[in-house]
Amino acid sequence: MVAIARLAGGSITANSLLGRNQRDRRANPAKYDSSALSRFSLRGRTDPRISRQTYFPVSFPRVSVAASASASTSASPVNGSVTMEGVAMPVPPPPHPTCDVMAAVQAALDEDAGDLGDVTSLATIPAGTQATAQFLAKEGGILAGTALATAVFRLLDPSLEVVWSKADGDTVHKGEVFATVQGSAHAILQGERVALNFMQRMSGIATSTRAMVEAARPATVLETRKTAPGLRITDKWAVLIGGGQNHRVGLYDMLLIKDNHIAAAGSVAAAINAAREYIRSNGLDLPVEVEARTLDELQEVLKCRGEGVGRVTRVMLDNMVVVRRRGGEGGGEVEVDVSMLEEAVDTVNGQLETEASGNVTLETVGAIAATGVTFISSGALTHSVKALDISLNIDTELALDVGRRTNRA
């Protein structure tokens, strides 16, 4: 499914599992012009926040989604869709001007294969052996990363058939088989762990996000830039799949004036005024958010917020929530003091968007949302990921038997 503007031509076929052939593919891309990747469809999309051309993954050949009630009714948390062979994906990835998602997939495959490829499979499984493997949910959660899992297998062997009975954003249940991969046993096994790594991480993020979103209504849940290096887009994509929204994608698409900027600039006013001048003198039209840690800082932000291009559009109300546990640290009932945050939201009185940050957990988010804050951001969604337990099995019945014995399926 996934293709980005700078993708090199070519793919790795079933007989290209050794590292020397991977290097040859890069050195001689013309040899692989008939591969699946040469059939990628690219469509540009302009990101209005940064006024430059960005790219979405658009299509991937030979991908099918089996009809299911959950797949056909899965709600999309964001507008728009990406199609695979005419099947619309519920949630597209966030746009980015330079990031190449396929490069991350290829890097993960190269990292795993090294210079000799999957020596265990090459040693034990005769060339040409065909197999069917099934994805099994070993716990319940929100599915995410199906496009990247498909891309992994397509890069290894474009002839592999990948069929999904669930789509991104659907709920999978413990013990449920939700996809099959059929074709070269060598290619399936070489892609197994990389596909699972992407899918388990993204599904874990989506699952945590969905729980946070449901607990935080009517506030909007955001993540932060606390993502795994090299996986910024996939981590933020998983948040969208879970029903959250993206904070700034990187350093380029929003001015976020935080404590260190204010300290280095000399004051809240100096930082805001300099930011406004920078935006206007460089012909930009970017949103501006300013962090306030005290009510006095909040008053300064409101006083200097400005008008027109370069104005402050949002204030981050940071660490204005105090959490105490009755019975001491690590135990007892949680007591959430949001009185300072409530006062801050009342002070803003709709003049700016408000964002609560700090001490945001599943236990506290309901009380935080009740203050009337517009957004709630949580770094833990992506920096403290609990991966969703998923496996890929050629002998699914045996895997289920073992899972039942260990209470993992």
Side-chain angles (χ1 to χ4, degrees):
M1 195 280 309
V2 185
I4 302 293
R6 297 179 321 286
L7 179 63
S11 73
I12 305 173
T13 59
N15 63 355
S16 305
L17 301 179
L18 298 182
R20 63 178 179 272
N21 288 329
Q22 294 174 350
R23 291 192 294 272
D24 179 65
R25 184 183 62 81
R26 294 194 188 94
N28 302 285
K31 290 167 60 178
Y32 301 87
D33 281 346
S34 63
S35 70
L37 292 183
S38 69
R39 298 194 297 275
F40 278 127
S41 171
L42 295 174
R43 178 178 64 212
R45 166 174 150 167
T46 300
D47 184 345
R49 296 173 300 174
I50 54 178
S51 299
R52 67 181 78 170
Q53 194 75 1
T54 56
Y55 291 88
F56 273 158
V58 176
S59 65
F60 201 102
R62 298 174 61 83
V63 180
S64 62
V65 178
S68 70
S70 56
S72 62
T73 60
S74 178
S76 174
V78 294
N79 294 324
S81 65
V82 176
T83 60
M84 301 182 300
E85 292 295 287
V87 179
M89 289 190 64
V91 184
H96 194 284
T98 60
C99 183
D100 186 340
V101 179
M102 281 304 295
V105 175
Q106 185 63 66
L109 287 168
D110 289 347
E111 175 184 63
D112 212 22
D115 61 347
L116 292 178
D118 178 6
V119 292
T120 307
S121 294
L122 291 169
T124 60
I125 303 172
T129 299
Q130 301 292 293
T132 299
Q134 296 178 312
F135 280 104
L136 172 68
K138 300 172 78 172
E139 64 179 321
I142 304 302
L143 183 62
T146 59
L148 291 186
T150 298
V152 167
F153 293 117
R154 290 289 186 267
L155 280 169
L156 290 169
D157 185 347
S159 71
L160 287 175
E161 293 283 355
V162 185
V163 179
W164 301 92
S165 61
K166 292 291 182 77
D168 283 352
D170 285 346
T171 298
V172 292
H173 302 282
K174 184 177 180 179
E176 181 178 9
V177 172
F178 58 86
T180 61
V181 186
Q182 188 170 14
S184 163
H186 282 182
I188 291 172
L189 291 176
Q190 184 169 351
E192 172 189 2
R193 177 44 51 195
V194 173
L196 286 171
N197 284 349
F198 279 119
M199 192 183 303
Q200 287 184 273
R201 179 178 177 86
M202 289 184 69
S203 296
I205 293 171
T207 300
S208 296
T209 301
R210 180 70 58 84
M212 187 78 75
V213 165
E214 291 176 352
R217 290 190 176 101
T220 298
V221 171
L222 310 172
E223 86 294 78
T224 69
R225 285 169 49 244
K226 297 174 183 177
T227 55
L231 298 179
R232 173 69 54 81
I233 297 303
T234 58
D235 280 3
K236 285 180 172 283
W237 190 0
V239 169
L240 293 177
I241 291 168
Q245 290 188 17
N246 292 148
H247 206 295
R248 59 176 180 163
V249 175
L251 294 172
Y252 65 92
D253 57 337
M254 169 189 267
L255 275 73
L256 177 48
I257 302 172
K258 300 195 70 177
D259 51 355
N260 285 332
H261 301 101
I262 292 168
S267 68
V268 170
I272 291 175
N273 291 335
R276 184 180 303 116
E277 176 58 28
Y278 176 86
I279 288 172
R280 292 177 177 178
S281 63
N282 284 279
L284 301 174
D285 187 6
L286 294 170
V288 178
E289 180 174 10
V290 184
E291 179 183 75
R293 297 161 294 172
T294 68
L295 295 175
D296 287 342
E297 283 188 336
L298 175 58
Q299 291 288 359
E300 289 186 70
V301 173
L302 293 174
K303 189 185 303 181
C304 302
R305 68 183 187 277
E307 300 291 340
V309 174
R311 70 190 183 283
V312 176
T313 53
R314 186 186 304 174
V315 60
M316 177 185 288
L317 306 172
D318 191 45
N319 287 314
M320 294 188 179
V321 176
V322 179
V323 179
R324 304 181 185 89
R325 287 191 179 270
R326 295 175 184 171
E329 191 70 27
E333 184 180 343
V334 174
E335 184 180 283
V336 185
D337 181 357
V338 294
S339 56
M340 184 179 180
L341 180 61
E342 284 180 323
E343 185 176 351
V345 172
D346 289 344
T347 299
V348 174
N349 193 28
Q351 298 174 77
L352 300 172
E353 294 177 338
T354 53
E355 176 185 334
S357 177
N359 271 331
V360 177
T361 67
L362 201 54
E363 291 179 301
T364 65
V365 72
I368 294 171
T371 65
V373 71
T374 318
F375 299 100
I376 302 174
S377 57
S378 169
L381 291 175
T382 55
H383 75 56
S384 299
V385 182
K386 179 186 179 298
L388 193 69
D389 198 355
I390 300 170
S391 63
L392 180 66
N393 309 284
I394 292 176
D395 189 342
T396 304
E397 284 305 313
L398 178 58
L400 281 167
D401 288 343
V402 173
R404 294 185 192 105
R405 189 182 73 231
T406 58
N407 197 31
R408 293 183 62 203

